[in-house]
Amino acid sequence: MAAMNRQVLLAGRPQGAVTPDNFRIVETPIGAPGRGEVLVKNEWLSLDPYMRGRMSDAKSYAPSVQIGAVMVGQTVGEVIESQDAGFKPGDKVLAPLGWQLYGIAKARDLTKLNVGRVPPSYFLGVLGMPGITAWFGLYEIGKPKMGETVVVTAASGAVGSVAGQLAKIEGCRVVGVAGGKAKCDYAVQELGYDACVDYKAGNLAAALREACPRGVDVQFENVGGEIFDTALTLMNLHSRIIVCGLIAEYTLPEPYRYRNLRSVLVNRSKMQGMIVFDWKDRYAEALAGLAGRLAEGKLKYRESIVEGIDNAPAGLIALLKGENFGKQLVKLA
Ligand SMILES: NC(=O)c1ccc[n+]([C@@H]2O[C@H](COP(=O)([O-])OP(=O)(O)OC[C@H]3O[C@@H](n4cnc5c(N)ncnc54)[C@H](OP(=O)(O)O)[C@@H]3O)[C@@H](O)[C@H]2O)c1
């Protein structure tokens, strides 16, 4: 019997937290690529916090997934059949093919990967969208200077771990905020942070103040809510705040109400939201920088892997509860 495709569709929009019944798994024929198209067998699927936003129909920076459509996501896979001169069977590619085992993509939407030096999955993490986000967020908005204090929230995660290590390379005092002792120990002992505050241990405000005796010059914000609000009280004069993500707010019934915004005013802090696509034309620059530091052994990287397409919903649900430890991936093959 010919192989079949297996897809995870959006079955319904979540109200608050994502649940398994928001998804439906189906089997469909694989199909054949037309002219200028390529059939890819997906090997790795990236799970990312932005997917919660795509499941909702609220207006955002990118369109929602339609009910009944394949869930969006980046994949790394192998070319099976190509109707484009630029690709041949066996090529490893980065693709926007979503939650499915096979997919047909326009050749122009694929990136051929050089997988000789690093595992292919790295192109979804440290050498992919999260790494690029950390790079441009830190350098273009944070502009860290030697000796400054940089705070990174979700410090052990895909974006945070790269941002923190880059800030360390720049000679900054780097303070992480993470959930639990294991993540904090990893941030300090493996990633080289100077300190890491476990926000689940209580005493967040006092612990953060103690870890930042000279205040905060750069806040790399991945979480939002109370953690961000607390960090705002420590901002220094002319500090920079990168609003990269607000994962703690994505499933709140109503927006978090900030109490400490006054600190931005009195300290003349510069606060800027970012979406990584804004630097689309400069991805190669970030990737070259990240690959160089990885090759030099200056960037450590960790993955959190669930096995099989059927477990992708559980993987996303866990990620949105902070249960991942490192870049969350689904191994498909
Ligand atoms: N602006 C952009 O272009 C862009 C691009 C990529 C990602 N992002 C954002 O960057 C942030 C990090 O993304 P990532 O891919 O690197 O994910 P990640 O850090 O690998 O995983 C998410 C982490 O968020 C933390 N978290 C804190 N409070 C949470 C809460 N209430 N609920 C769930 N998780 C909580 C958890 O770590 P702890 O256990 O340590 O709390 C969790 O492990 C997200 O907010 C994401 O939306 C933005």
Side-chain angles (χ1 to χ4, degrees):
M1 203 179 82
M4 292 285 280
N5 195 7
R6 205 166 167 83
Q7 303 175 312
V8 181
L9 312 182
L10 180 66
R13 303 209 183 278
Q15 309 297 325
V18 175
T19 57
D21 60 7
N22 295 141
F23 304 96
R24 186 157 53 91
I25 296 174
V26 296
E27 284 211 337
T28 57
I30 291 173
R35 225 161 114 191
E37 291 181 336
V38 177
L39 171 65
V40 177
K41 181 172 195 263
N42 291 326
E43 295 172 342
W44 293 95
L45 165 67
S46 176
L47 295 179
D48 298 270
Y50 76 81
M51 291 169 174
R52 174 62 184 83
R54 301 288 173 87
M55 294 175 75
S56 129
D57 55 7
K59 183 175 174 291
S60 189
Y61 59 88
S64 308
V65 178
Q66 295 304 304
I67 302 291
V70 176
M71 275 291 294
V72 287
Q74 275 198 312
T75 59
V76 160
E78 185 172 304
V79 171
I80 301 293
E81 190 184 335
S82 175
Q83 297 291 343
D84 183 272
F87 294 91
K88 59 178 189 320
D91 285 345
K92 297 284 185 192
V93 290
L94 178 67
L97 285 171
W99 297 28
Q100 55 183 340
L101 295 183
Y102 294 86
I104 294 171
K106 302 259 183 250
R108 64 170 179 269
D109 294 333
L110 297 177
T111 305
K112 203 182 291 187
L113 300 175
N114 179 355
V115 292
R117 297 220 180 111
V118 295
S121 60
Y122 277 34
F123 293 96
L124 296 170
V126 61
L127 296 182
M129 185 276 283
I132 298 170
T133 302
W135 182 277
F136 287 118
L138 186 74
Y139 289 120
E140 296 292 320
I141 303 174
K143 300 187 191 303
K145 296 188 208 61
M146 188 180 285
E148 287 190 326
T149 298
V150 177
V151 169
V152 180
T153 59
S156 71
V159 174
S161 63
V162 178
Q165 290 180 93
L166 292 176
K168 210 50 228 164
I169 293 169
E170 298 306 315
C172 297
R173 172 174 176 79
V174 180
V175 176
V177 180
K181 183 171 173 356
K183 287 183 178 179
C184 275
D185 286 350
Y186 171 72
V188 173
Q189 289 160 18
E190 297 291 325
L191 303 179
Y193 286 56
D194 295 282
C196 185
V197 173
D198 172 8
Y199 67 89
K200 291 186 176 165
N203 282 329
L204 171 65
L208 199 55
R209 202 176 323 113
E210 191 180 326
C212 304
R214 296 193 303 273
V216 177
D217 301 292
V218 178
Q219 176 74 16
F220 198 112
E221 188 53 53
N222 287 316
V223 169
E226 194 184 344
I227 293 173
F228 185 21
D229 212 7
T230 304
L232 284 177
T233 63
L234 298 173
M235 300 314 299
N236 285 335
L237 192 65
H238 298 143
S239 48
R240 286 82 65 200
I241 302 167
I242 305 130
V243 184
C244 175
L246 300 172
I247 190 168
E249 302 181 30
Y250 295 167
T251 52
L252 291 181
E254 51 184 67
Y256 178 85
R257 289 171 206 282
Y258 283 85
R259 292 160 298 175
N260 298 314
L261 209 55
R262 182 172 177 273
S263 174
V264 174
L265 168 67
V266 297
N267 292 303
R268 288 78 124 186
S269 305
K270 204 176 261 182
M271 177 154 78
Q272 185 177 329
M274 68 166 291
I275 298 295
V276 65
F277 316 144
D278 296 345
W279 287 278
K280 206 165 52 204
D281 297 340
R282 291 176 54 193
Y283 281 2
E285 183 190 318
L287 287 172
L290 290 163
R293 283 153 183 80
L294 195 64
E296 289 162 10
K298 289 183 178 162
L299 281 183
K300 298 231 171 103
Y301 178 59
R302 176 181 179 125
E303 297 175 333
S304 189
I305 296 171
V306 297
E307 299 265 347
I309 188 81
D310 290 13
N311 288 319
L316 181 65
I317 290 167
L319 169 75
L320 293 170
K321 288 186 190 153
E323 288 169 7
N324 63 311
F325 189 168
K327 169 65 205 162
Q328 184 66 60
L329 297 167
V330 185
K331 190 171 189 309
L332 299 176

